[in-house]
Amino acid sequence: MAFEKNVFNKTSRTDSEIAFFGAMTIVYKSSIDLFLYVVGSSHENELMLMSVLTCLFESLNHVLRKNVEKRWLLENMDGAFLVLDEIVDGGVILESDPQQVIQKVNFRADDSSLTEQSVAQVCHTSLKENKKLIEWLSNFTLSSTFIWSSPVS
């Protein structure tokens, strides 16, 4: 969590959309009480990272019905993970068009009946995905994405 806290401290007080932190390029966007970050190596193209961020934000905006804020994100974590899964996989950018992501997420949600999963199953899946993300973030070899909620409630 030290990395995320340092990035948040560096970016929460500025109006820019890009930051450089160590050997990483970070693009970010805030929405009410959330900060969305896309992190890549210093060799990554900033415009590609920004297109991933824009795709993430617009897709979440649709999935969360224009309520991109902490409470709605937590209540719809399954949809948020589907969106993230369609955009990036193991640091490889799969999609940067929000309409394509929304279409794929809607198709997958219809097929998998996510509403029937128990809370324990969703939490277990979420925990596994977060562990993968943390493990991947420690390598910093490819682009990554994470969502940070501001500590103020």
Side-chain angles (χ1 to χ4, degrees):
M1 281 306 246
F3 170 75
E4 290 89 346
K5 186 174 182 176
N6 289 337
V7 170
F8 177 76
N9 287 337
K10 180 174 180 144
T11 59
S12 64
R13 295 178 183 91
T14 65
D15 290 331
S16 68
E17 298 175 333
I18 188 168
F20 299 97
F21 189 76
M24 294 166 284
T25 302
I26 303 168
V27 293
Y28 58 97
K29 181 176 188 135
S30 65
S31 174
I32 304 174
D33 57 353
L34 285 178
F35 282 80
L36 303 174
Y37 294 89
V38 175
V39 180
S41 74
S42 59
H43 305 299
E44 292 287 339
N45 183 327
E46 294 89 0
L47 294 176
M48 276 306 296
L49 296 176
M50 187 56 79
S51 71
V52 169
L53 177 64
T54 301
C55 181
L56 175 64
F57 183 80
E58 289 180 14
S59 299
L60 286 175
N61 194 35
H62 178 79
V63 168
L64 301 176
R65 295 176 182 85
K66 307 215 183 294
N67 293 310
V68 182
E69 58 185 87
K70 183 179 179 178
R71 187 178 116 229
W72 289 101
L73 182 69
L74 291 173
E75 289 178 7
N76 297 285
M77 192 65 78
D78 54 347
F81 278 124
L82 282 175
V83 165
L84 197 55
D85 188 48
E86 290 298 329
I87 298 172
V88 178
D89 184 22
V92 176
I93 300 169
L94 301 175
E95 187 64 65
S96 61
D97 179 12
Q99 293 303 317
Q100 290 294 319
V101 170
I102 292 165
Q103 189 175 34
K104 290 176 185 177
V105 166
N106 287 338
F107 178 75
R108 284 178 62 180
D110 290 343
D111 281 351
S112 64
S113 183
L114 287 173
T115 56
E116 295 175 11
Q117 284 187 335
S118 70
V119 173
Q121 288 172 319
V122 172
C123 289
H124 179 71
T125 303
S126 175
L127 183 62
K128 279 178 40 180
E129 291 298 320
N130 283 335
K131 283 182 180 178
K132 285 182 194 175
L133 183 59
I134 290 169
E135 178 182 318
W136 188 86
L137 280 173
S138 66
N139 293 332
F140 294 114
T141 56
L142 298 171
S143 302
S144 63
T145 307
F146 67 92
I147 300 171
W148 178 262
S149 173
S150 65
V152 179
S153 296

